[in-house]
Amino acid sequence: MSQVTNIKIDESWKNELADEFQQPYFAAIKQFLLQEKQAGHKIFPPGKLIFNAFDSTPFDKVKVVILGQDPYHNIGQAHGLSFSVPDGVKPPPSLENMFKELKTDIGIEIPQTGNLQKWANQGVLLLNAGLTVRAHQANSHKNAGWHKFTDAVIRKLSTEREGIVFLLWGGFAKKKASLIDHSRHHVLMTGHPSPLSANRGYWFGNKHFSKTNDLLEKQGLTPIDWTL
């Protein structure tokens, strides 16, 4: 039985990433996660939500990519969508700053929820470079092999799709620009929405939400409804 049949992920992504699931590095990711659990470490997000971004936004539906670095590492926060938290969970500071920019950019009132599922359902791939993290230890799975996998995801979107708007926020995300064919896609870069960056003038005023919709509309695509 091929390894890919054991991966529970949206069929469109399973087909596109079939080669990646067969690679030794992906088997090593699975082994790493097993060892983490055997060592008694709690891992976020829950196993069934590790591929939530892919399940929420099929390959052929992706219009926008918002790239995060790492899942939230506190209890109840991570649910497989970058920057997003489940309903009822207080939005972390980076997400709060995203909402502030949304308000100044296009006038959307700051929402009562930090759950970005509605964006994902419209074609916004909320992709973290790393898909898992050890509880309470930020970036603790950075060497697990996930970055190789998500780099392959970005390359696949770059080569097989056209007109996607990639939003790269902060130094880590900007490094991924080299994986994208800029002649086929739109790449918008700015500082990270975290307070450390935003409060130094590197985030607010970027107008990425309205710029994204302008780029989509110029292609005859439905803009994103950023309200939640």
Side-chain angles (χ1 to χ4, degrees), residues 77-115:
Q77 290 182 316
H79 66 140
L81 304 177
S82 64
F83 293 101
S84 180
V85 291
D87 290 324
V89 176
K90 178 179 170 55
S94 293
L95 185 53
E96 287 184 338
N97 284 335
M98 289 166 58
F99 291 156
K100 290 176 183 177
E101 177 60 25
L102 259 174
K103 184 174 182 180
T104 57
D105 183 10
I106 51 181
I108 291 177
E109 290 300 320
I110 293 176
Q112 298 298 309
T113 180
N115 189 340

CSV table of all heavy atoms in Angstrom, one decimal, residues 77-115:
chain,number,residue,atom,x,y,z
A,77,GLN,N,-5.6,27.3,20.9
A,77,GLN,CA,-5.4,28.3,19.9
A,77,GLN,C,-5.3,27.8,18.4
A,77,GLN,O,-6.0,28.3,17.5
A,77,GLN,CB,-4.2,29.2,20.2
A,77,GLN,CG,-4.3,30.1,21.4
A,77,GLN,CD,-3.0,30.9,21.6
A,77,GLN,OE1,-1.9,30.4,21.4
A,77,GLN,NE2,-3.2,32.2,21.9
A,78,ALA,N,-4.4,26.9,18.2
A,78,ALA,CA,-4.2,26.4,16.9
A,78,ALA,C,-5.3,25.5,16.3
A,78,ALA,O,-5.7,24.6,17.0
A,78,ALA,CB,-2.8,25.7,16.8
A,79,HIS,N,-5.7,25.8,15.1
A,79,HIS,CA,-6.6,24.9,14.5
A,79,HIS,C,-6.3,24.7,13.0
A,79,HIS,O,-7.2,24.4,12.2
A,79,HIS,CB,-8.1,25.3,14.7
A,79,HIS,CG,-8.5,26.6,14.1
A,79,HIS,ND1,-9.8,26.7,13.5
A,79,HIS,CD2,-7.9,27.8,14.0
A,79,HIS,CE1,-9.9,28.0,13.1
A,79,HIS,NE2,-8.8,28.6,13.4
A,80,GLY,N,-5.1,24.8,12.6
A,80,GLY,CA,-4.6,24.5,11.3
A,80,GLY,C,-4.7,25.6,10.3
A,80,GLY,O,-4.5,25.3,9.1
A,81,LEU,N,-5.1,26.8,10.7
A,81,LEU,CA,-5.2,27.9,9.7
A,81,LEU,C,-4.2,29.0,10.3
A,81,LEU,O,-4.3,29.4,11.4
A,81,LEU,CB,-6.6,28.5,9.7
A,81,LEU,CG,-7.7,27.5,9.3
A,81,LEU,CD1,-9.1,28.2,9.3
A,81,LEU,CD2,-7.5,26.9,7.9
A,82,SER,N,-3.3,29.5,9.4
A,82,SER,CA,-2.4,30.5,9.9
A,82,SER,C,-3.1,31.8,10.4
A,82,SER,O,-4.1,32.2,9.8
A,82,SER,CB,-1.4,30.9,8.7
A,82,SER,OG,-2.1,31.5,7.7
A,83,PHE,N,-2.6,32.3,11.5
A,83,PHE,CA,-3.1,33.5,12.2
A,83,PHE,C,-4.5,33.3,12.8
A,83,PHE,O,-4.9,34.2,13.6
A,83,PHE,CB,-3.1,34.7,11.2
A,83,PHE,CG,-1.7,35.1,10.8
A,83,PHE,CD1,-1.2,34.8,9.6
A,83,PHE,CD2,-0.9,35.9,11.6
A,83,PHE,CE1,0.0,35.2,9.1
A,83,PHE,CE2,0.3,36.3,11.3
A,83,PHE,CZ,0.8,36.0,10.0
A,84,SER,N,-5.2,32.3,12.6
A,84,SER,CA,-6.5,32.1,13.0
A,84,SER,C,-6.6,31.4,14.3
A,84,SER,O,-5.8,30.6,14.7
A,84,SER,CB,-7.3,31.3,12.0
A,84,SER,OG,-8.7,31.1,12.3
A,85,VAL,N,-7.7,31.7,15.1
A,85,VAL,CA,-8.0,30.9,16.3
A,85,VAL,C,-9.5,30.5,16.3
A,85,VAL,O,-10.3,31.2,15.6
A,85,VAL,CB,-7.7,31.8,17.6
A,85,VAL,CG1,-6.2,32.0,17.8
A,85,VAL,CG2,-8.4,33.1,17.6
A,86,PRO,N,-9.8,29.5,17.0
A,86,PRO,CA,-11.2,29.1,17.0
A,86,PRO,C,-12.1,30.1,17.7
A,86,PRO,O,-11.7,31.0,18.4
A,86,PRO,CB,-11.2,27.8,17.8
A,86,PRO,CG,-9.8,27.3,17.8
A,86,PRO,CD,-9.0,28.5,17.7
A,87,ASP,N,-13.4,30.0,17.4
A,87,ASP,CA,-14.4,30.9,18.0
A,87,ASP,C,-14.3,30.8,19.5
A,87,ASP,O,-14.0,29.7,20.1
A,87,ASP,CB,-15.8,30.5,17.6
A,87,ASP,CG,-16.1,30.8,16.2
A,87,ASP,OD1,-15.7,31.8,15.7
A,87,ASP,OD2,-16.8,30.0,15.5
A,88,GLY,N,-14.4,31.9,20.2
A,88,GLY,CA,-14.3,32.0,21.6
A,88,GLY,C,-12.9,32.1,22.2
A,88,GLY,O,-12.8,32.3,23.4
A,89,VAL,N,-11.9,32.1,21.4
A,89,VAL,CA,-10.5,32.3,21.8
A,89,VAL,C,-10.1,33.7,21.5
A,89,VAL,O,-10.3,34.2,20.4
A,89,VAL,CB,-9.6,31.2,21.1
A,89,VAL,CG1,-8.1,31.5,21.5
A,89,VAL,CG2,-10.0,29.8,21.5
A,90,LYS,N,-9.5,34.3,22.4
A,90,LYS,CA,-9.1,35.7,22.3
A,90,LYS,C,-8.0,35.8,21.1
A,90,LYS,O,-7.0,35.1,21.1
A,90,LYS,CB,-8.4,36.3,23.6
A,90,LYS,CG,-7.9,37.7,23.5
A,90,LYS,CD,-7.3,38.2,24.8
A,90,LYS,CE,-6.6,39.5,24.6
A,90,LYS,NZ,-7.4,40.6,24.0
A,91,PRO,N,-8.2,36.7,20.2
A,91,PRO,CA,-7.2,36.9,19.1
A,91,PRO,C,-5.9,37.3,19.6
A,91,PRO,O,-5.8,38.2,20.4
A,91,PRO,CB,-7.8,38.0,18.2
A,91,PRO,CG,-9.3,37.9,18.5
A,91,PRO,CD,-9.4,37.6,20.0
A,92,PRO,N,-4.8,36.6,19.2
A,92,PRO,CA,-3.5,37.0,19.6
A,92,PRO,C,-3.1,38.4,19.1
A,92,PRO,O,-3.8,38.9,18.1
A,92,PRO,CB,-2.6,35.9,19.1
A,92,PRO,CG,-3.5,34.7,18.9
A,92,PRO,CD,-4.8,35.3,18.5
A,93,PRO,N,-2.0,39.0,19.6
A,93,PRO,CA,-1.7,40.4,19.1
A,93,PRO,C,-1.5,40.5,17.6
A,93,PRO,O,-1.9,41.5,17.1
A,93,PRO,CB,-0.4,40.6,19.9
A,93,PRO,CG,-0.5,39.8,21.1
A,93,PRO,CD,-1.2,38.6,20.7
A,94,SER,N,-0.9,39.6,17.0
A,94,SER,CA,-0.7,39.7,15.5
A,94,SER,C,-2.1,39.8,14.8
A,94,SER,O,-2.2,40.6,13.8
A,94,SER,CB,0.1,38.5,15.0
A,94,SER,OG,1.4,38.6,15.4
A,95,LEU,N,-3.0,39.0,15.2
A,95,LEU,CA,-4.3,38.9,14.6
A,95,LEU,C,-5.0,40.2,14.9
A,95,LEU,O,-5.7,40.8,14.0
A,95,LEU,CB,-5.1,37.7,15.0
A,95,LEU,CG,-6.5,37.5,14.4
A,95,LEU,CD1,-6.4,37.5,12.9
A,95,LEU,CD2,-7.1,36.2,14.9
A,96,GLU,N,-4.9,40.7,16.1
A,96,GLU,CA,-5.5,42.0,16.4
A,96,GLU,C,-5.0,43.1,15.5
A,96,GLU,O,-5.8,44.0,15.0
A,96,GLU,CB,-5.2,42.4,17.9
A,96,GLU,CG,-6.0,41.6,18.9
A,96,GLU,CD,-5.7,42.0,20.3
A,96,GLU,OE1,-4.7,42.7,20.6
A,96,GLU,OE2,-6.6,41.7,21.2
A,97,ASN,N,-3.7,43.1,15.2
A,97,ASN,CA,-3.2,44.1,14.3
A,97,ASN,C,-3.6,43.9,12.9
A,97,ASN,O,-3.8,44.9,12.1
A,97,ASN,CB,-1.6,44.1,14.4
A,97,ASN,CG,-1.1,44.8,15.7
A,97,ASN,OD1,-1.8,45.6,16.3
A,97,ASN,ND2,0.1,44.4,16.1
A,98,MET,N,-3.9,42.7,12.5
A,98,MET,CA,-4.4,42.5,11.2
A,98,MET,C,-5.8,43.1,11.1
A,98,MET,O,-6.2,43.7,10.1
A,98,MET,CB,-4.5,41.0,10.9
A,98,MET,CG,-3.2,40.3,10.6
A,98,MET,SD,-3.2,38.5,10.7
A,98,MET,CE,-4.4,38.1,9.4
A,99,PHE,N,-6.6,42.9,12.1
A,99,PHE,CA,-8.0,43.5,12.2
A,99,PHE,C,-7.9,45.0,12.2
A,99,PHE,O,-8.8,45.7,11.5
A,99,PHE,CB,-8.7,43.0,13.4
A,99,PHE,CG,-9.1,41.5,13.3
A,99,PHE,CD1,-9.3,40.8,14.5
A,99,PHE,CD2,-9.2,40.9,12.1
A,99,PHE,CE1,-9.7,39.4,14.4
A,99,PHE,CE2,-9.6,39.5,12.0
A,99,PHE,CZ,-9.8,38.8,13.2
A,100,LYS,N,-6.9,45.6,12.9
A,100,LYS,CA,-6.8,47.1,12.9
A,100,LYS,C,-6.5,47.6,11.5
A,100,LYS,O,-7.0,48.6,11.0
A,100,LYS,CB,-5.7,47.5,13.9
A,100,LYS,CG,-6.1,47.3,15.3
A,100,LYS,CD,-4.9,47.6,16.2
A,100,LYS,CE,-5.2,47.4,17.7
A,100,LYS,NZ,-4.1,47.6,18.6
A,101,GLU,N,-5.6,46.9,10.8
A,101,GLU,CA,-5.3,47.3,9.4
A,101,GLU,C,-6.5,47.1,8.5
A,101,GLU,O,-6.8,48.0,7.6
A,101,GLU,CB,-4.1,46.5,8.9
A,101,GLU,CG,-3.7,46.7,7.4
A,101,GLU,CD,-3.3,48.2,7.2
A,101,GLU,OE1,-2.9,48.9,8.1
A,101,GLU,OE2,-3.4,48.6,6.0
A,102,LEU,N,-7.3,46.1,8.7
A,102,LEU,CA,-8.5,45.9,7.9
A,102,LEU,C,-9.4,47.1,8.1
A,102,LEU,O,-10.1,47.5,7.1
A,102,LEU,CB,-9.2,44.6,8.3
A,102,LEU,CG,-9.1,43.4,7.5
A,102,LEU,CD1,-9.7,42.2,8.2
A,102,LEU,CD2,-9.7,43.6,6.1
A,103,LYS,N,-9.5,47.5,9.3
A,103,LYS,CA,-10.5,48.7,9.6
A,103,LYS,C,-10.0,49.9,8.9
A,103,LYS,O,-10.8,50.6,8.3
A,103,LYS,CB,-10.6,48.9,11.1
A,103,LYS,CG,-11.6,49.9,11.4
A,103,LYS,CD,-11.9,50.0,12.9
A,103,LYS,CE,-13.0,51.1,13.2
A,103,LYS,NZ,-13.2,51.2,14.7
A,104,THR,N,-8.7,50.2,9.0
A,104,THR,CA,-8.2,51.5,8.4
A,104,THR,C,-8.2,51.3,6.9
A,104,THR,O,-8.3,52.3,6.1
A,104,THR,CB,-6.8,51.8,8.9
A,104,THR,OG1,-5.9,50.8,8.7
A,104,THR,CG2,-6.9,52.1,10.4
A,105,ASP,N,-7.9,50.1,6.4
A,105,ASP,CA,-7.8,49.9,4.9
A,105,ASP,C,-9.2,49.9,4.2
A,105,ASP,O,-9.4,50.7,3.3
A,105,ASP,CB,-7.1,48.6,4.7
A,105,ASP,CG,-6.9,48.3,3.2
A,105,ASP,OD1,-7.1,49.2,2.4
A,105,ASP,OD2,-6.5,47.1,2.9
A,106,ILE,N,-10.1,49.1,4.7
A,106,ILE,CA,-11.4,49.1,4.0
A,106,ILE,C,-12.6,49.3,4.9
A,106,ILE,O,-13.7,49.0,4.5
A,106,ILE,CB,-11.5,47.7,3.2
A,106,ILE,CG1,-11.2,46.5,4.1
A,106,ILE,CG2,-10.6,47.7,2.0
A,106,ILE,CD1,-11.3,45.2,3.3
A,107,GLY,N,-12.4,49.7,6.1
A,107,GLY,CA,-13.5,50.1,7.0
A,107,GLY,C,-14.2,49.0,7.7
A,107,GLY,O,-15.3,49.3,8.2
A,108,ILE,N,-13.7,47.8,7.7
A,108,ILE,CA,-14.4,46.7,8.4
A,108,ILE,C,-14.2,46.8,9.9
A,108,ILE,O,-13.0,47.0,10.4
A,108,ILE,CB,-13.8,45.4,7.9
A,108,ILE,CG1,-14.2,45.1,6.4
A,108,ILE,CG2,-14.3,44.2,8.7
A,108,ILE,CD1,-13.7,43.9,5.8
A,109,GLU,N,-15.3,46.8,10.6
A,109,GLU,CA,-15.2,46.9,12.1
A,109,GLU,C,-14.5,45.6,12.6
A,109,GLU,O,-14.6,44.5,12.1
A,109,GLU,CB,-16.6,47.0,12.7
A,109,GLU,CG,-17.3,48.3,12.4
A,109,GLU,CD,-16.5,49.5,13.0
A,109,GLU,OE1,-15.9,49.4,14.1
A,109,GLU,OE2,-16.4,50.5,12.3
A,110,ILE,N,-13.7,45.8,13.7
A,110,ILE,CA,-13.0,44.7,14.3
A,110,ILE,C,-14.0,43.6,14.7
A,110,ILE,O,-14.9,43.9,15.5
A,110,ILE,CB,-12.1,45.2,15.5
A,110,ILE,CG1,-11.0,46.2,14.9
A,110,ILE,CG2,-11.5,44.0,16.2
A,110,ILE,CD1,-10.2,46.8,16.0
A,111,PRO,N,-13.8,42.4,14.3
A,111,PRO,CA,-14.8,41.4,14.5
A,111,PRO,C,-14.8,40.8,15.9
A,111,PRO,O,-13.8,41.0,16.7
A,111,PRO,CB,-14.4,40.3,13.5
A,111,PRO,CG,-12.9,40.5,13.3
A,111,PRO,CD,-12.7,41.9,13.4
A,112,GLN,N,-15.8,40.1,16.3
A,112,GLN,CA,-15.9,39.5,17.6
A,112,GLN,C,-15.2,38.1,17.7
A,112,GLN,O,-15.0,37.6,18.8
A,112,GLN,CB,-17.4,39.3,18.0
A,112,GLN,CG,-18.2,40.6,18.0
A,112,GLN,CD,-17.6,41.6,19.1
A,112,GLN,OE1,-17.5,41.2,20.3
A,112,GLN,NE2,-17.3,42.8,18.7
A,113,THR,N,-14.8,37.6,16.6
A,113,THR,CA,-14.1,36.3,16.5
A,113,THR,C,-12.8,36.4,15.8
A,113,THR,O,-12.6,37.3,15.0
A,113,THR,CB,-15.0,35.3,15.8
A,113,THR,OG1,-14.3,34.0,15.8
A,113,THR,CG2,-15.3,35.7,14.3
A,114,GLY,N,-11.9,35.5,16.2
A,114,GLY,CA,-10.6,35.5,15.5
A,114,GLY,C,-10.5,34.3,14.6
A,114,GLY,O,-9.5,33.9,14.1
A,115,ASN,N,-11.7,33.7,14.3
A,115,ASN,CA,-11.7,32.5,13.4
A,115,ASN,C,-11.8,32.9,12.0
A,115,ASN,O,-12.8,33.5,11.5
A,115,ASN,CB,-13.0,31.7,13.8
A,115,ASN,CG,-13.0,30.3,13.1
A,115,ASN,OD1,-12.3,30.1,12.1
A,115,ASN,ND2,-13.8,29.4,13.6
